[in-house]
Amino acid sequence: MDRNGYTESSGRTECGLQDSPEWCALGNTDLEDVEKHARCRCYETGEVIFYEGDPVKGVYFVKAGLVGVRKADLNGNSTLLKLAWPGDTLGYRPLLAGQAHRAGAEALRQSVVCMIDARTARTMIEQNPALGLNFLKRAARELGDAEQKFHDSVTLHTRTRFAHLLVVLQDRFGRLADDGSMHLDLPVSRSDIAAMLGVRRESVSRVIHELEDTGVAHFVDRSVVVPDPGSLAVEFAR
Amino acid sequence: MDRNGYTESSGRTECGLQDSPEWCALGNTDLEDVEKHARCRCYETGEVIFYEGDPVKGVYFVKAGLVGVRKADLNGNSTLLKLAWPGDTLGYRPLLAGQAHRAGAEALRQSVVCMIDARTARTMIEQNPALGLNFLKRAARELGDAEQKFHDSVTLHTRTRFAHLLVVLQDRFGRLADDGSMHLDLPVSRSDIAAMLGVRRESVSRVIHELEDTGVAHFVDRSVVVPDPGSLAVEFAR
DNA sequence: CGCCAGGTTGATTTCGCTCAAGCAATGTGG
DNA sequence: CCACATTGCTTGAGCGAAATCAACCTGGCG
């Protein structure tokens, strides 16, 4: 382990890059080459992986856990731009745009993250068309989502946006029960939900209260039950 | 001219793709090949180039004029996501993401736009690594901007965001006078400025009134004079 | 001339923010 | 083991920025 706590990977499967929808394009030799230049490290909850404004030292492959990407404003508030799950690669955007990090990343629970140094990542993406194409497609999808998010933020109310968020999380982490109700464990705190929506945590509290009152959803700690998932879609018309 | 008003390009320089920061990566033979599959057309102000929700028929290279990219909401309002100037390529995002158009495009003044059919554009991007890389870098920059825009929309007031917009337009279209004042012709209507900021046009009117009152800027129709450009930056702290 | 598009202004409302208090669960030091 | 701080969340009261609703102005045009 070096002094930053990174441990050099040895085997081809150390980082698990095969499980990345982007890096999987690489052949065995390239994959081994990349893993040789990768360092894996475990982060505790709340630990920072990189800071907003930092120069890009590499790209970060999330191997396990959950990572949040944040942007702070001048008043100490922050928005949570996205959640990164195992298989996601962070930092490729500023690397390719030739910019510093425009957002910071932080472990939202204990996580394992592999850093691939910038030089290696850049040459690999530039030399290997299939890899570049995968990142291009990823960027294209993320760009569409980001534009949608801007549009939503200026046209929809907090309650509607919260309903949207619930549906997105539902698609990924919801379990449909026998009686047709949807069960979901929120991956993040109330404060972080607020940061994802770009509102105050008090506003989230009030929206949750409203959804309870109208029977649309029931919240206990981080677990949510939506008796009739269809009723969430109705929220969109508000 | 075919029944859609497109006229088949003949020469290599018909569309002027060499002037694109992306397409310029192509060699002469590829460039000619693409131009062979391109159709140029002139659009009058207000004419629609493609609609939100349409399947992607091709990518659109702006040769002359000014094009606006819009997203509508359910209540008939719309946000203006971006302005496309000569040299810009539109529609590559949904093409690569394998989606339908998630925004519509419309000529904001008389414009010439060349459509490169989807099949040609896709194979060219997939076969030609340099071209793909250029679009990847473009997407990376646009993604950063889009995330910034979301963050700004939820953390900054209308007045601050308007000042930001003025600075951006200034960088691109401002003329610095001998006395240090900045002169700028707004490329779009007040309504469209509102649509870019994601606010009502009345709010833009009021902000303009405020900036007049405080002497920060003077507005006559679409021309703006900022006596002290530094004072715009001060607005950012509000 | 009447009409309409684009813009401004004023009066009123509303949604979400700010400020403030309080509560439950968890941790910590004496 | 208790006193006390801390963290995460909720609730209430009041405020403020921008939306809404409505009137009106100006210039261009059939």
Side-chain angles (χ1 to χ4, degrees):
Chain A
M1 225 196 289
D2 69 16
R3 66 197 162 83
N4 287 319
Y6 279 99
T7 143
E8 188 159 355
S9 67
S10 49
R12 175 171 99 65
T13 58
E14 177 76 21
C15 302
L17 284 177
Q18 318 88 325
D19 301 334
S20 154
E22 287 84 31
W23 298 98
C24 66
L26 293 181
N28 281 352
T29 47
D30 280 343
L31 216 43
E32 276 173 40
D33 191 22
V34 172
E35 298 243 351
K36 237 176 269 165
H37 290 85
R39 297 287 179 280
C40 289
R41 189 190 143 181
C42 185
Y43 293 86
E44 296 306 315
T45 302
E47 244 189 298
V48 169
I49 297 164
F50 55 81
Y51 288 94
E52 197 175 339
D54 275 359
V56 176
K57 292 210 293 274
V59 299
Y60 299 81
F61 177 75
V62 180
K63 187 177 174 184
L66 174 62
V67 174
V69 177
R70 285 181 196 285
K71 239 173 140 71
D73 73 0
L74 299 170
N75 311 319
N77 307 312
S78 80
T79 54
L80 188 49
L81 285 181
K82 72 172 231 158
L83 300 177
W85 298 88
D88 286 340
T89 300
L90 297 177
Y92 76 93
R93 204 210 55 72
L95 177 82
L96 292 163
Q99 301 167 333
H101 283 296
R102 292 177 69 172
E106 170 203 327
L108 295 179
R109 59 174 77 139
Q110 190 176 295
S111 303
V112 180
V113 176
C114 308
M115 189 189 78
I116 301 159
D117 80 87
R119 192 188 199 83
T120 306
R122 172 176 277 120
T123 46
M124 207 46 94
I125 291 173
E126 286 177 353
Q127 306 293 316
N128 193 310
L131 180 62
L133 220 44
N134 280 344
F135 275 107
L136 177 50
K137 284 171 185 169
R138 149 71 54 133
R141 257 178 293 116
E142 289 197 332
L143 179 52
D145 292 345
E147 291 178 339
Q148 183 70 49
K149 224 165 89 170
F150 167 75
H151 186 251
D152 287 353
S153 76
V154 301
T155 57
L156 304 177
H157 287 177
T158 300
R159 178 165 168 179
T160 315
R161 277 154 58 208
F162 182 65
H164 272 245
L165 179 59
L166 280 182
V167 169
V168 170
L169 293 174
Q170 212 176 70
D171 289 347
R172 199 158 171 171
F173 309 104
R175 300 176 306 283
L176 201 57
D178 292 339
D179 61 355
S181 68
M182 177 65 74
H183 294 243
L184 172 70
D185 283 313
L186 297 176
V188 293
S189 68
R190 302 274 195 273
S191 295
D192 281 341
I193 289 177
M196 294 182 80
L197 299 175
V199 300
R200 302 277 141 216
R201 61 195 185 292
E202 295 96 319
S203 298
V204 170
S205 268
R206 289 185 236 274
V207 165
I208 287 177
H209 192 102
E210 270 186 67
L211 292 177
E212 283 280 357
D213 281 357
T214 53
V216 174
H218 304 293
F219 297 81
V220 179
D221 294 329
R222 287 191 179 184
S223 85
V224 189
V225 178
V226 185
D228 171 21
S231 64
L232 267 188
V234 175
E235 294 291 322
F236 296 175
R238 296 173 52 94
Chain B
M1 223 194 292
D2 69 16
R3 67 197 162 82
N4 287 321
Y6 279 99
T7 142
E8 187 161 356
S9 68
S10 50
R12 174 170 100 68
T13 58
E14 177 77 20
C15 302
L17 285 178
Q18 318 88 327
D19 302 333
S20 153
E22 287 85 31
W23 298 97
C24 66
L26 294 181
N28 282 352
T29 46
D30 279 344
L31 216 44
E32 275 172 42
D33 192 22
V34 172
E35 297 243 352
K36 236 176 268 164
H37 290 85
R39 299 285 180 282
C40 289
R41 185 185 147 185
C42 184
Y43 292 85
E44 296 305 317
T45 303
E47 243 189 298
V48 170
I49 297 164
F50 55 81
Y51 288 93
E52 197 174 337
D54 276 358
V56 176
K57 293 210 292 273
V59 298
Y60 298 81
F61 177 74
V62 180
K63 187 176 174 183
L66 175 62
V67 173
V69 177
R70 285 182 196 284
K71 239 174 139 72
D73 72 1
L74 299 169
N75 312 318
N77 307 311
S78 81
T79 54
L80 189 48
L81 285 182
K82 71 172 231 156
L83 300 176
W85 299 89
D88 286 340
T89 299
L90 298 177
Y92 76 94
R93 204 210 54 73
L95 177 82
L96 292 163
Q99 302 167 332
H101 283 296
R102 291 178 69 171
E106 169 203 328
L108 295 179
R109 59 174 75 138
Q110 190 177 296
S111 303
V112 180
V113 176
C114 308
M115 189 189 79
I116 301 159
D117 80 87
R119 192 189 199 83
T120 305
R122 172 176 276 120
T123 46
M124 205 49 93
I125 290 173
E126 287 177 354
Q127 305 295 316
N128 193 310
L131 181 62
L133 220 43
N134 281 343
F135 274 107
L136 177 51
K137 285 171 184 169
R138 149 72 53 132
R141 259 178 291 115
E142 290 196 332
L143 179 52
D145 292 345
E147 291 179 338
Q148 184 70 50
K149 226 166 88 171
F150 167 76
H151 188 251
D152 287 353
S153 75
V154 300
T155 56
L156 304 178
H157 288 175
T158 301
R159 179 165 167 180
T160 313
R161 276 153 61 206
F162 183 65
H164 272 245
L165 179 59
L166 281 181
V167 169
V168 171
L169 293 174
Q170 213 176 69
D171 287 348
R172 199 157 172 169
F173 309 105
R175 302 175 304 282
L176 201 57
D178 292 339
D179 62 355
S181 67
M182 178 64 76
H183 294 243
L184 172 70
D185 284 314
L186 297 176
V188 293
S189 68
R190 300 276 194 272
S191 296
D192 281 341
I193 289 177
M196 293 181 80
L197 299 176
V199 300
R200 303 275 143 217
R201 60 194 186 295
E202 294 97 318
S203 298
V204 170
S205 269
R206 288 185 237 273
V207 165
I208 287 177
H209 192 103
E210 270 186 68
L211 292 177
E212 282 281 357
D213 281 356
T214 53
V216 174
H218 303 291
F219 297 81
V220 180
D221 294 329
R222 287 191 179 184
S223 85
V224 189
V225 178
V226 185
D228 171 21
S231 64
L232 268 187
V234 175
E235 294 291 323
F236 296 175
R238 296 174 54 92

